[in-house]
């Protein structure tokens, strides 16, 4: 069950980073990539929700890392997932702020 949780966390964090990069590219008006934007466009309608979800993921992983004694692969997975989740948290915070400012 732990492995499935980490696998889902990695998939979610990587998808979030993909969505953030596509958002940055389309906001930067780089031509020819609007097809990629449509794959993640549904995420930009409620950025606060994604900010909260990825913050919860990051907090969960941090708590899991320091609660008890994770060993071996679990510690490595947690240490790799924390920065990915935090990138997602800060990215969605920026998108949330931009959407609120408009």
């Amino acid at each position: 069950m732990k492995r499935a949780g980490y696998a889902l966390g990695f998939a979610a964090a990587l998808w979030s980073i993909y969505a953030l990069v596509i958002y940055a590219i389309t906001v930067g008006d780089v031509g020819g990539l609007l097809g990629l934007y449509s794959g993640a466009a549904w995420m930009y309608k409620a950025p606060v929700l994604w900010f909260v979800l990825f913050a919860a993921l990051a907090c969960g992983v941090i708590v899991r890392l320091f609660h008890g004694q994770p060993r071996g692969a679990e510690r490595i997975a947690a240490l790799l997932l924390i920065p990915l989740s935090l990138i997602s948290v800060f990215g969605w915070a920026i998108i949330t702020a931009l959407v609120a400012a408009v």
Side-chain angles (χ1 to χ4, degrees), residues 7-23 35-44 50 53-54 57 81 84-85 87-88 92 95:
L8 287 174
F10 276 112
L14 292 176
W15 174 259
S16 177
I17 291 172
Y18 162 79
L20 294 170
V21 168
I22 297 304
Y23 184 81
L36 294 174
Y37 177 80
S38 65
W42 58 272
M43 294 181 79
Y44 307 127
W50 300 104
L53 287 175
F54 284 102
L57 175 65
L81 189 53
L84 289 176
S85 299
I87 290 168
S88 300
W92 284 107
I95 291 176

Side-chain angles (χ1 to χ4, degrees), residues 46-85:
V48 173
L49 171 70
W50 300 104
F51 169 69
V52 170
L53 287 175
F54 284 102
L57 175 65
C59 289
V61 174
I62 292 169
V63 167
R64 182 73 187 146
L65 180 64
F66 293 108
H67 180 71
Q69 295 296 324
R71 299 200 174 137
E74 185 181 0
R75 174 173 278 172
I76 294 169
L79 288 173
L80 291 175
L81 189 53
I82 288 170
L84 289 176
S85 299

